[in-house]
C-alpha cells in the first residue's frame, strides 16, 4: 500500500468517525431534549418533608415525611407508577405516630413549548397507622388504628431544570376514609414540593 493511499484511508476513517461522532451527539441531544414525557421513559423521585419545633414545651412537634415514587410512561404524556408513604410524628416527649402505606398513581402531562409542564394527578394510598405512648419509667405502649385509604386528586406543575430533572409543585385534595365507621372520614388540602428524575429508554416509540 502506497503512502498516499494509506494517508487517504486514514483521512477517510477520520471523517467517518467524526461524522459518526457528530451523528451520535445529535442523537443524544435529540433524545435528551425529548426524554421528559415520551413513551418508554422511567422515572424515580418523590417528596421529603422534615419539620422540627424549636420550642421546649411538652407539645413540641417533630415531623418526618417521605414519599418516594417510581413510574413509567406507557404512552406519551401518560405517567403511571407506585408511591410509598412513611410519615412519622413525635409530639412532645411521650407520644409519637407512624403512618406507612403504598399505592398507585396516575398522571397526565400537558406539554407546553417551554420547560414547564402542568399535569393532572391522582393517587390512592392504602395506609396503616400506629400510635406510641412513652411512660415515665422508659416503657411504651403502642396502638394500631384502623387502616386508612387516602384518595388524592390534584394538579401540579413540573419545571424541568434539566432535560432529566424536574422540580414538581403540586396541590392535592386528600380524602381519607377508614375501615371503621366510628372513625369517620375527613379531607384536607395539601401543597407539596418534590422532584423527578427521568431516564429515557431508547426503543420503538
Amino acid at each position: 500500500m502506497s503512502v498516499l493511499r494509506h494517508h487517504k484511508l486514514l483521512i477517510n476513517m477520520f471523517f467517518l468517525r467524526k461524522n459518526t461522532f457528530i451523528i451520535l451527539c445529535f442523537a443524544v441531544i435529540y433524545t435528551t431534549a425529548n426524554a421528559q414525557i415520551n413513551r418508554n421513559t422511567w422515572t424515580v423521585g418523590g417528596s421529603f418533608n422534615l419539620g422540627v419545633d424549636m420550642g421546649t414545651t411538652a407539645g413540641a412537634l417533630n415531623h418526618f415525611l417521605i414519599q418516594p415514587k417510581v413510574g413509567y410512561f406507557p404512552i406519551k404524556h401518560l405517567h403511571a407508577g407506585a408511591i410509598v408513604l412513611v410519615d412519622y410524628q413525635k409530639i412532645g416527649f411521650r407520644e409519637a405516630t407512624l403512618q406507612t402505606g403504598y399505592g398507585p398513581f396516575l398522571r397526565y402531562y400537558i406539554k407546553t413549548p417551554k420547560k414547564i409542564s402542568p399535569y393532572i394527578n391522582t393517587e390512592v394510598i392504602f395506609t396503616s397507622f400506629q400510635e406510641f405512648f412513652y411512660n415515665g419509667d422508659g416503657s411504651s405502649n403502642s396502638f394500631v388504628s384502623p387502616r386508612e385509604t387516602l384518595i388524592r386528586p390534584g394538579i401540579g406543575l413540573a419545571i424541568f431544570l434539566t432535560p432529566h430533572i424536574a422540580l414538581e409543585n403540586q396541590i392535592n385534595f386528600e380524602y381519607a376514609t377508614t375501615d371503621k365507621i366510628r372513625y369517620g372520614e375527613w379531607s384536607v388540602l395539601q401543597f407539596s414540593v418534590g422532584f423527578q428524575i427521568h431516564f429515557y429508554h431508547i426503543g420503538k416509540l
Side-chain angles (χ1 to χ4, degrees):
M1 182 182 295
S2 66
V3 176
L4 181 60
R5 187 175 180 183
H6 179 68
H7 286 171
K8 286 184 177 180
L9 181 59
L10 290 177
I11 292 172
N12 289 335
M13 290 178 63
F14 171 77
F15 280 106
L16 179 61
R17 290 181 180 178
K18 182 179 179 181
N19 291 336
T20 303
F21 177 75
I22 293 173
I23 292 171
L24 287 175
C25 286
F26 276 107
V28 170
I29 293 171
Y30 176 81
T31 299
T32 302
N34 292 272
Q36 299 102 323
I37 55 178
N38 275 352
R39 180 186 173 187
N40 292 336
T41 299
W42 287 90
T43 66
V44 62
S47 59
F48 172 82
N49 294 331
L50 180 62
V52 179
D53 189 340
M54 301 303 292
T56 58
T57 64
L61 172 67
N62 297 320
H63 185 202
F64 171 83
L65 171 65
I66 185 171
Q67 298 181 100
K69 293 180 180 179
V70 60
Y72 178 72
F73 284 82
I75 61 175
K76 193 173 183 179
H77 296 182
L78 185 64
H79 190 203
I83 181 172
V84 174
L85 179 144
V86 178
D87 187 355
Y88 176 80
Q89 297 186 48
K90 187 174 181 182
I91 307 168
F93 302 103
R94 294 191 176 183
E95 185 178 353
T97 64
L98 175 64
Q99 186 177 27
T100 58
Y102 61 90
F105 74 86
L106 187 66
R107 177 181 296 180
Y108 184 82
Y109 285 85
I110 302 170
K111 182 64 177 176
T112 63
K114 298 182 179 180
K115 296 181 180 180
I116 299 177
S117 294
Y119 60 82
I120 303 170
N121 188 81
T122 300
E123 302 169 359
V124 179
I125 306 176
F126 308 98
T127 72
S128 60
F129 190 84
Q130 282 184 287
E131 295 180 81
F132 302 91
F133 296 94
Y134 301 95
N135 303 318
D137 57 2
S139 62
S140 63
N141 299 319
S142 64
F143 301 91
V144 179
S145 299
R147 292 184 177 275
E148 297 175 358
T149 300
L150 309 178
I151 303 173
R152 296 174 173 173
I155 57 175
L157 192 66
I159 303 171
F160 285 89
L161 305 177
T162 74
H164 293 287
I165 301 176
L167 178 67
E168 297 181 347
N169 304 279
Q170 187 170 311
I171 298 176
N172 293 325
F173 176 79
E174 181 179 276
Y175 172 77
T177 180
T178 68
D179 57 3
K180 299 291 184 181
I181 297 177
R182 70 186 182 90
Y183 282 87
E185 303 170 349
W186 63 93
S187 59
V188 64
L189 191 65
Q190 296 179 328
F191 175 77
S192 65
V193 177
F195 73 97
Q196 290 286 342
I197 301 175
H198 293 239
F199 302 95
Y200 184 61
H201 170 68
I202 299 176
K204 294 182 179 179
L205 299 180

